[in-house]
Amino acid sequence: MQNLERMIDQGTGRESADIVLKGGCFLDLVTGELVASDIAISGDRIVGTCGDYTGKTEIDVSGKIVVPGFIDTHLHIESSLVTPLEFDRCVLPYGVTTVICDPHEIANVLGTEGLQFFLDSALETIMDVRVQLSSCVPATHLETSGADLPIERLMPFRKHPKVIGLAEMMNFPGVIHKDPIPLAKLAAFQDGHIDGHAPLLSGYDLNGYLATGIRTDHECTSAMEAMEKIRKGVHILIREGSVSKDLHALMPIITERLSPFIALCTDDRNPLDIAEQGHLDYMIRTAIANGAEPLAVYRAASISAARAFGLRDRGLVAPGWRADLVVIDSLESCKADMVFSAGRRVTSELFETRNFVEPVGLDSVRARQVTSADFAVPARNGETSVLGVIPGKIITEHRRYQLPNSGNQATVDLTNDILKITVIERHGKNGNIATGFVQGFGLKKGAIASTVGHDSHNICVVGASDEDMALAANRLSVIKGGFVVVEDGNVTGEIALPVAGLMSLEPYESVRDTLHHLRQAAFALGSTLQEPFLQLAFLPLPVIPHLKISDKGLVDVDRFELIP
C-alpha cells in the first residue's frame, strides 16, 4: 500500500520521482509516434509520461529515443557457453531485459539438479530470467541422455516464481502418435503456457499438434511455413542465432498487421557472435535495414513478446508498466546507450550486488577412452547415407554417396568433402559409440570434438583422421567437457566447459577470446563453416529433419527410426 501511494504521488507530480529521463522522446508502440516527454520512474515502475517531471535523480537523454526493454522469447542460456550470471552480465547491456529460457541442455545432462541451478540463478540475475520447464528429457528414445524428467519430477517446480510453463515440445512425432509420456506433460500444463517446436510440420499433423494447447513455434524457416502457423493461431518466434539464421527468410511476416503475432528469439547464440554483432539489437537493426517497418520490429521485440507469454506488466513505455527501458540513438541503429532493468540503471557496479550461485555438474563427462579402431566403419555395397550440412540451418539433408574403401573399411572422401562423424555416449551409462559420414564441414585434415551435442550432449567428433578423432574425444574427458581441435596428433585449440560439459567457469570476455582462437584453429583445418562447433552440436538432434546421428546410430528423422 505504501509503495502504491508513493507511486501515485510521484506520478501525479506531488512528489519528485526517483528517476526522471529528461529531454528525449519515447516510441509509442500503440500509435507508432515518437512522443517528446519526460519519463518518471518510481521503484521498478514507470509512473509518468507525456509531461514534465522533477526527479531525485535526473538523467539527460536529449536527442535520444527510449524504447521498452527487449524480450528474447526462446533461448538456451547454455548455448552462450557461460553460466546464467555471466550471461546476465554479457547480454543485459545490449538492452535485453527479459529472457525466456529453456534449461533443456543442462536438464538432459543433470536432470532436476540442472533445473534447480537455473532457477536459483534466475533469482539472482539483474535481467528477468524466466524459465520454461524442459519437456523433452530425454528428447527421444533414439539417443542416450544423462537424465530423465517425467512429469512427476517437473511438477514440484511448477509454482516457482520464475517458471512460466512447459518448454518446447520437441517430440512432435510422439505428440501426433499419442505417446503417453509427452501427453502426460501436455495434460498437466493445460492451464499454463506451452511452447512449441515443430519444424516443417503442416496440414492435419500440425492441427493435431496444436490441438494440445501449444501456442508458439520458433522453428519456421520460410515465410510460407510461418503463415500457415499464424493462420492456425501460432505466435511465431523469429529466430536468428549462431547457427539457425531464419530472420531473412521470415522478413515477409514482419509487418504492422502481423506484429501482434510475432516475436524475436536467438535460441542459441555464443559470446563471440554477441561481441561481434550484438543480440536482439542486431536482429532489430538488421530487420529495419532490410525494409521492415520499425513499429513492427519494436513491437515484436517487446509488447508482442510479453503478451505471448503472459508477462502483462511490461512492453510499453507508459505509466504503471515495468521500468525496463533502453535508451538508443535512433530506431535504425538500435545501439543501447543506457539500459534500465526494473527501474535500476544497468552499470558494472549493479552486477556486483548479486549473490554467487554454486556451479553444478563439474564431473559430468564419464565417457570411455577410445582408440582409432573405434572409428572404423565396415565397407558396404552400394551407396552410404551421408548427413548433408546446410550452413545457417539445423535441418540436414539425407544424401547418398558411393564411398571409397580401404581393405574392408569405408573411408573419408575429402574430394567430396565427406568426413567421419562419431557420437560417443558420455554419461557413463552404456558406452555406446556410433560412426557415420557427414558432408559440409570442409576439413582437409585433423578433427574437432565437442561435449555440446543437442539434445543428450554426448561427445560429437568430426574428422578426416581416425587417430586425431580419438585424441580429440579423449581430451574432452581430461578437460571435463568443452571443444577441442586436433591437427596431426596435436591439440591446437580447446576450451573447457566443466559445468555439465556445457558452460565455462570463466568470465564471458575470456570465453569470447578463447572462442576466437578456437575458430581460427578450426579454419586452419580447412573448415568452411563460420560456426563449426555449433553446427556440429546440432547434428545429433533426432527431432530436426532429415538425417541425424546419435550414440545409437544414424537416425531417419522423417520415419523417426534408426537406420540399420
Side-chain angles (χ1 to χ4, degrees), residues 366-388:
R366 305 185 182 102
R368 66 182 178 93
Q369 294 291 290
V370 293
T371 68
S372 60
D374 290 308
F375 297 88
V377 179
R380 59 182 299 169
N381 294 323
E383 295 181 328
T384 297
S385 292
V386 175
L387 283 79

Side-chain angles (χ1 to χ4, degrees), residues 178-353:
K178 300 183 291 187
D179 183 325
I181 294 176
L183 290 193
K185 296 174 183 178
L186 291 167
F189 283 82
Q190 286 297 295
D191 61 343
H193 181 86
I194 306 174
D195 253 0
H197 169 114
L200 305 181
L201 198 63
S202 64
Y204 289 108
D205 283 347
L206 176 61
N207 292 345
Y209 180 74
L210 298 177
T212 64
I214 290 166
R215 291 289 179 265
T216 62
D217 186 72
H218 59 276
E219 290 291 342
C220 291
T221 54
S222 72
M224 182 181 297
E225 179 183 2
M227 283 306 302
E228 179 186 1
K229 289 174 178 175
I230 286 175
R231 291 188 186 102
K232 293 180 177 180
V234 178
H235 203 110
I236 300 300
L237 314 181
I238 299 171
R239 173 177 58 188
E240 187 76 4
S242 289
V243 172
S244 301
K245 301 177 185 295
D246 304 315
L247 177 60
H248 288 276
L250 299 181
M251 282 294 298
I253 72 168
I254 307 179
T255 66
E256 185 176 335
R257 173 172 288 186
L258 294 178
S259 60
F261 309 101
I262 61 175
L264 307 180
C265 75
T266 57
D267 203 353
D268 303 278
R269 197 160 178 82
N270 70 45
L272 190 55
D273 287 342
I274 294 169
E276 293 175 350
Q277 298 175 332
H279 203 261
L280 289 188
D281 58 313
Y282 168 75
M283 292 187 70
I284 292 167
R285 59 177 164 268
T286 301
I288 294 173
N290 281 274
E293 304 161 8
L295 176 59
V297 180
Y298 280 96
R299 280 178 176 172
S302 51
I303 184 63
S304 297
R307 288 179 171 172
F309 287 87
L311 300 174
R312 311 208 58 93
D313 63 340
R314 67 200 69 187
L316 290 179
V317 182
W321 292 69
R322 180 178 163 104
D324 288 346
L325 302 169
V326 189
V327 181
I328 59 178
D329 285 329
S330 70
L331 297 180
E332 293 76 17
S333 70
C334 193
K335 181 181 183 300
D337 288 342
M338 200 180 303
V339 179
F340 292 83
S341 176
R344 299 163 296 180
R345 184 173 179 177
V346 175
T347 62
S348 57
E349 291 76 20
L350 183 60
F351 293 111
E352 295 173 5
T353 65

